Structure formats: C-alpha cells, structure tokens
Amino acid sequence: REIEFIVQLLLVVRGRDPQGRNAGRDWLASQIEGAGGVVEFVAVYQRCVPRLDAAQLALARQAASDGSVWLFSSSEGVANLRGLLPDLSWQHARALATHPRIAQAAREAGFAVVCESRPAPADVVASIESFE
C-alpha cells in the first residue's frame, strides 16, 4: 500500500557524531525525497562519549552487579558504556531498552536481563517496576 505524502518541504533536526558527521533520520528523508519532497537537515546538537570521573566510574561498576536497572534510549549509549568500561562484565546487570535494536545491543554487551519498553514515560515506569 502506497502512502501519499503531502509534505513538500521537511526540515529534519538531528545531531552530529564525534567526527562531525550528520547522524540519523536518513530513512525518513529518503521516503520524503522519493515521494518528490525536499528535505533540509539542521544539526542542532553534537553526540559525544561522556567523560566520567573516578566516582562516576566506580558507581557504574557497582551498578553493574548490585541489581540496578540501566535504562538505554540509544544503542550508542550502550556502546559508550562498553567503551568506558571495556573490562567490566555485565553478566549480573539488568537493562531496559526503548527499542529492539537497543535491546539487541545490550544483549550483545552481555547484560544478563534485557527488557524492552515503549519510550513513553508511563511504559518506562511500568517496565522498571516490573523488575522488582
């Protein structure tokens, strides 16, 4: 079934990765362009790996095994965590992911329990409560 687009011009707001490349929203843009629309991109934020101090790294290590629930809204966040703590085992950690692709990244990182949730706040809260 074809979708009729009434969008003639779409302004896509997105970020840039640490190397300065535009990141995300390509599928939507290709759909609009394929239907004859015009797409313009505006990068409004920069994605980067966070810098954690010693106390934050210690807290992350503790949370990997103390029953904490890690909430991930991007697979990039999972990758950043793995990069910051490359030798840490996640075999006792629990993760909540807001998309199947993010859940897969958490599983590949070694999280013992990975649950998926819609990103709506009420759904996230209900999912966190289900861990208890």
Side-chain angles (χ1 to χ4, degrees):
R1 186 171 118 182
E2 281 193 39
I3 298 173
E4 180 181 331
F5 287 97
I6 59 171
V7 176
Q8 293 180 352
L9 173 63
L10 175 68
L11 179 63
V12 178
V13 177
R14 66 180 177 182
R16 288 210 168 109
D17 68 15
Q19 290 76 38
R21 297 178 303 233
N22 290 324
R25 313 297 184 252
D26 295 326
W27 178 87
L28 176 60
S30 68
Q31 299 302 305
I32 299 297
E33 289 172 337
V38 176
V39 178
E40 292 185 23
F41 293 96
V42 176
V44 297
Y45 61 91
Q46 179 78 26
R47 295 178 178 188
C48 62
V49 177
R51 294 184 186 124
L52 302 182
D53 62 26
Q56 292 168 320
L57 289 169
L59 183 60
R61 285 185 185 93
Q62 177 185 339
S65 61
D66 69 1
S68 295
V69 176
W70 292 78
L71 172 60
F72 292 108
S73 61
S74 81
S75 52
E76 187 175 9
V78 177
N80 288 342
L81 186 62
R82 290 178 78 180
L84 290 166
L85 297 162
D87 298 325
L88 188 62
S89 170
W90 300 100
Q91 66 184 3
H92 299 293
R94 305 182 300 171
L96 178 61
T98 59
H99 188 277
R101 185 174 51 245
I102 302 165
Q104 183 59 35
R107 288 183 191 97
E108 290 171 3
F111 278 78
V113 177
V114 178
C115 295
E116 295 177 34
S117 171
R118 289 174 11 104
D123 294 331
V124 170
V125 169
S127 295
I128 291 171
E129 289 172 344
S130 74
F131 276 101
E132 296 174 4

